[in-house]
Every structure is written in C-alpha cells, then in structure tokens.
Amino acid sequence: MKLQEFSFSNFRSFKDINTLNLSTAKIKSKKESIDIDNVIKGNNVESISFLKSKAIYGANASGKSNIIKAFVTFIRILRTSVKDEKILNLIDSFRLSTETEDEPTYFQIIFWYKKVKYRYGFELNDSVINSEWLYGKPGERELCYFIRDNQEVIELDRTNFKEGDKLTKLLSDDTEDNEIFRDNSLFLSTLASFGFGKLSKQLIESLSSITIISGLGHRGMYAHAGNSLESAEKKKYILNFLKYGDIGIDDLNVVEISHDDLSEELDDDVKKDIEAQESKKLLISLRKKFDENLDTVDSALFSFQLHESEGTQKLFELSPFIYEAIKEQKVIIIDEFDARFHPLLTKKILQLFNSKKNKGAQLIFTTHDTNLLSAGILRRDQVEFVEKDKYGASHLYSLVQFKGIRNTASFEKDYIQGKYGAIPFLGNFDKILNFED
C-alpha cells in the first residue's frame, strides 16, 4: 500500500479541509541523489511517485499532534464501527466557530493498493455517519464504487463492485431496524464483515496496516518489542539498532524467573522489579564488565526498565516497528519523533527511510528538530508546517508552496527566522521574574 493523500476537516483544531500530500512535486533538489533516494517511483497508470518521508514542523499547540490523532480516529472508526457502537465518540469537532458547530467531520484518504488507486472517505458526527464514498481507478478512468447518503446507498457500481450489490440486496430483504447496517457503522466496514466482501476486507486491512506511534512508554509497544526478541532475525535487528545508536548494550534477553527463586546474580533493584510485575517475564540487558586493567571479564546484568534511560527505552520500543515498516513496505507515523533522541540519532533513522535500500516504506513524523531542515537531507515537498491563525484554526502547508526558494537555501535558518511561519511568538520571559509587579 502506498499513501498519496490524507485530508480532514472540522476535527479538533482544524476547521477547514487540510491535506497531507505524499506524492512528489515537480522540483529539483540541491543534490540529484536526494530526488532519487527519497522517492518511491510509482509503477501505476498515473506515473505518480511517492515520498519516502514527510516531516511536520510547528510551534507547541499549533496542531501537529492533531494530524496524528486524525489518522488514529479515521483508522479506528474504519476498523471497529461494526463492533463498537460508541466508537464515533472519538469525534471531536472544531469548537471555536459557529460555522462548524452543526457540520460533520470529514475524512478522505487516497492510496494505491495492487496498482489500483482508491479514494475513500466519510463524513460523520459523534453519533451518525452522514455520508461515505469509495472510488477506484483500475485504468484511465475513475469509477464510483458506491456513494452512501445517511442510511441509503444512492450510487453503486454493480459490475465492478459486486459485493456492494450483494449487501444492498440483503438489506432490502431485512427490516428497517436491521442490525446489519446501522447509521453509526460504515458501509465498507459492514461489507468487510461478510465472507463475500473480499475487496472491502482487503482495503481495510491495507489501511489498518498503517502503524501509528502516538505515545511512548505504552505497554503495548514495550510488550511488542519484547515479543520481537523471540525472532532471531528481529532480535539481531534490534540489537544492531541499539548498537549503532551508541547505547552500549551487548545483548537483551527475556527471562522467566520465579518470584520464590530469584537468582543471586541479580541485584536488589532487579529483584524488586520482578516482584512488582504480575508476569514472571523480565527484560534483562547485558553490558560488558571490566577489570582494573580495563579488560573484559564478564557481563553485568541489568533490569532494562529500571536501569536504562528513557531514550534507550524509546529506541528499543521503536526498533521492531521500524524494522517491520521497512521490511514489509508499510506506512509508519510517529508523533514527537525527536523526543528523548539526540539530533544525530533522529537524522540516522530518517536516513534509513530515505535510503536506496528502502523500496517502499513511508515515514510521517512530527518534530521540533530543525537539524533535519536541510536541503542535503530532505526535499522541499518532504517538509510540512502547521500554524494556527488568530481565530484558533490550524493550517497545514508545505515548504514547496513557497516561491523563490533556492535549492541552496538554508531551510533551518530561514525557518528559525520566521520566513515560513509556524514558529512560536514568545513574550518577554524576563517579566516572569518581576514578582512585585
């Protein structure tokens, strides 16, 4: 699956329709190699190429994380609207305008699956689906597979989307109070729940393969990374990831230890960590131990969660997701990518995605790391900015939209100086010290 565009409106701090575009613009970069390495050549009827990475910059509270939340909300509703009748409660519309109070939230995604371009979207509020649509472009012409208006399917391609025809016939035989197609469930998700809804299921699985990392220290991430150590291939990758990240860990092992029989080799902190856990599994990191001559004599054992830094733990948690994204050519989205990382480390991880060896994975991330704002690292169409206007609405725009920017320009310097906007307007912090005023 290749992501081309994601659009949304009336969601949290975003009032109007904003689009995150991952198709390439017709530009030339400072280095010719960047225009080759940072791009996935499109093997499709439109000859569209895709960006391997997209960086999103903006001041604190500008709305960067709300872009990630829009992705999360879209995918969760798509996956679970049939099973979870309360899933639409995730919708949080723009609250600072009377124009949007009674308007629905809008989502649309354009993606490629098996060389076919699909355009899928829906409008909804926190209780009902107002509209839904699916278009496909298997050839030169875009076809309308279905359009749903409230509870009615008003257009349907019975030839190219036969599964939709089967479901509508099934619905026509049911009562008005049918549980098959609710006003708060998506038509595509309903189709995918039936055996005959093969294309719908494939499209949902494809979109659900997007990995979103919206928080750190999450048990699910830590558990997934720990389980990944059971695979020899993944463990090798994770250890190399930590090694090349200059972490100093030689090995990682998940061990099962009885609370009644703690090894004498473990220190008191490790024992406390084991005793505090409900499970009997413990992640142990091994580091070299040296004698007075600085010769390696043994390995020291540490409880990973108690002794390793937050940066090390983040790198460990992220490593299997990055491995899977690149190996399986998936989309991965990371909020606050640079948090707890040294700038050189974020640069190296970004270069993994922008390398020739990455054949199809796409990375989208929010960041404050201006070291990445370099014409030697990113194309102009790989840089997005988020800024709030005076009415509290967030706006998303690309560096490529600015005219007259030379390929040799210092993106970082120009950004810090406010040339592109999306920076904080800070007050006089010295006044904070005037306690008597």
Side-chain angles (χ1 to χ4, degrees):
M1 192 272 281
K2 297 293 174 286
L3 179 60
Q4 182 175 334
E5 289 183 10
F6 179 64
S7 303
F8 56 98
S9 69
N10 196 18
F11 181 78
R12 296 181 72 89
S13 63
F14 287 87
K15 177 186 175 185
D16 302 319
I17 293 178
N18 285 260
T19 299
L20 187 69
N21 191 341
L22 275 89
S23 58
T24 57
K26 294 181 180 179
I27 59 173
K28 289 187 178 180
S29 301
K30 179 180 179 180
K31 296 180 181 178
E32 185 179 351
S33 60
I34 290 179
D35 292 333
I36 298 173
D37 297 344
N38 295 22
V39 169
I40 303 166
K41 285 294 181 182
N43 182 18
N44 49 65
V45 293
E46 295 185 3
S47 298
I48 289 178
S49 296
F50 308 95
L51 298 171
K52 291 182 178 179
S53 61
K54 176 77 82 168
I56 304 173
Y57 286 87
N60 291 326
S62 62
K64 299 188 304 299
S65 292
N66 287 338
I67 300 172
I68 311 300
K69 287 181 173 68
F71 270 105
V72 170
T73 302
F74 171 82
I75 292 174
R76 285 188 64 184
I77 291 174
L78 181 63
R79 291 180 59 186
T80 63
S81 68
V82 172
K83 299 178 290 184
D84 187 353
E85 295 188 27
K86 296 181 180 180
I87 192 66
L88 302 194
N89 291 341
L90 289 173
I91 294 301
D92 186 2
S93 59
F94 184 74
R95 302 182 185 183
L96 301 180
S97 172
T98 57
E99 288 182 74
T100 54
E101 285 178 340
D102 299 318
E103 293 297 311
T105 295
Y106 165 92
F107 295 111
Q108 179 174 272
I109 194 164
I110 299 176
F111 65 105
W112 293 76
Y113 175 71
K114 293 185 177 179
K115 299 184 181 180
V116 177
K117 179 182 178 181
Y118 292 97
R119 179 163 63 90
Y120 173 69
F122 47 86
E123 292 182 311
L124 72 169
N125 56 36
D126 59 4
S127 59
V128 298
I129 310 289
N130 301 101
S131 61
E132 184 182 0
W133 57 92
L134 175 65
Y135 291 81
K137 193 174 182 181
E140 296 293 331
R141 188 166 60 91
E142 185 180 63
L143 305 175
C144 175
Y145 285 0
F146 75 82
I147 298 177
R148 171 242 191 113
D149 183 20
N150 291 307
Q151 195 67 353
E152 183 182 0
V153 178
I154 60 174
E155 284 194 38
L156 182 66
D157 189 331
R158 301 182 187 280
T159 302
N160 296 288
F161 197 59
K162 295 180 180 178
E163 58 199 63
D165 185 35
K166 287 184 179 180
L167 183 55
T168 54
K169 287 179 179 177
L170 183 62
L171 294 175
S172 65
D173 294 335
D174 209 341
T175 65
E176 288 188 6
D177 298 326
N178 71 79
E179 294 295 325
I180 300 174
F181 184 31
R182 303 189 318 272
D183 59 1
N184 59 354
S185 66
L186 294 168
F187 184 61
L188 191 71
S189 303
T190 304
L191 272 168
S193 66
F194 289 88
F196 56 76
K198 293 182 179 179
L199 177 60
S200 299
K201 185 176 181 180
Q202 289 172 353
L203 296 183
I204 289 177
E205 287 178 348
S206 179
L207 292 171
S208 298
S209 71
I210 297 174
T211 299
I212 302 175
I213 310 296
S214 58
L216 298 173
H218 190 277
R219 274 192 176 184
M221 288 181 62
Y222 185 81
H224 179 68
N227 292 336
S228 297
L229 295 174
E230 296 176 6
S231 163
E233 184 178 352
K234 287 185 179 180
K235 180 176 180 178
K236 180 181 178 181
Y237 181 89
I238 291 171
L239 287 174
N240 282 334
F241 212 76
L242 296 175
K243 174 184 176 182
Y244 298 140
D246 196 26
I247 302 302
I249 291 176
D250 292 318
D251 200 2
L252 289 170
N253 287 307
V254 177
V255 296
E256 291 194 24
I257 302 176
S258 170
H259 291 186
D260 299 325
D261 186 26
L262 298 179
S263 171
E264 293 298 329
E265 298 178 7
L266 302 178
D267 62 27
D268 290 339
D269 286 336
V270 175
K271 293 177 182 178
K272 289 178 182 178
D273 189 20
I274 296 170
E275 291 169 346
Q277 296 185 75
E278 293 181 6
S279 70
K280 298 178 183 178
K281 290 187 177 181
L282 179 70
L283 180 60
I284 298 291
S285 56
L286 286 77
R287 293 174 178 267
K288 290 185 179 69
K289 183 184 287 187
F290 303 92
D291 62 14
E292 65 275 10
N293 299 316
L294 300 182
D295 294 324
T296 304
V297 292
D298 202 353
S299 291
L301 308 181
F302 298 92
S303 165
F304 189 85
Q305 285 183 299
L306 285 179
H307 287 89
E308 302 300 343
S309 71
E310 290 185 345
T312 298
Q313 292 189 38
K314 176 183 175 179
L315 193 62
F316 169 70
E317 291 176 2
L318 276 182
S319 56
F321 291 100
I322 292 174
Y323 167 85
E324 291 158 9
I326 294 178
K327 186 176 179 63
E328 300 170 21
Q329 299 186 20
K330 300 196 305 186
V331 179
I332 183 170
I333 304 171
I334 305 175
D335 195 15
E336 299 293 349
F337 175 51
D338 55 310
R340 305 177 188 166
F341 280 170
H342 190 279
L344 291 177
L345 184 55
T346 55
K347 179 181 176 181
K348 285 294 184 182
I349 296 174
L350 177 58
Q351 287 174 337
L352 281 178
F353 284 87
N354 287 339
S355 69
K356 292 180 181 179
K357 292 184 178 180
N358 173 22
K359 302 302 181 183
Q362 293 174 286
L363 168 67
I364 300 168
F365 61 96
T366 67
T367 183
H368 292 288
D369 186 355
T370 58
N371 291 283
L372 305 178
L373 268 177
S374 166
I377 300 174
L378 294 169
R379 291 163 48 99
R380 280 175 289 150
D381 53 4
Q382 288 182 284
V383 179
E384 296 278 330
F385 300 109
V386 183
E387 186 173 56
K388 274 186 179 177
D389 61 26
K390 61 181 180 179
Y391 304 107
S394 298
H395 299 272
L396 179 65
Y397 54 95
S398 174
L399 178 58
V400 81
Q401 295 174 230
F402 290 84
K403 305 299 182 183
I405 299 177
R406 301 190 310 274
N407 291 335
T408 55
S410 172
F411 301 159
E412 179 182 19
K413 179 181 177 182
D414 290 345
Y415 172 62
I416 293 297
Q417 291 180 347
K419 186 173 182 179
Y420 311 132
I423 59 172
F425 294 96
L426 305 176
N428 186 354
F429 270 54
D430 289 342
K431 291 184 178 180
I432 297 174
L433 301 177
N434 298 332
F435 299 113
E436 297 180 0
D437 293 347

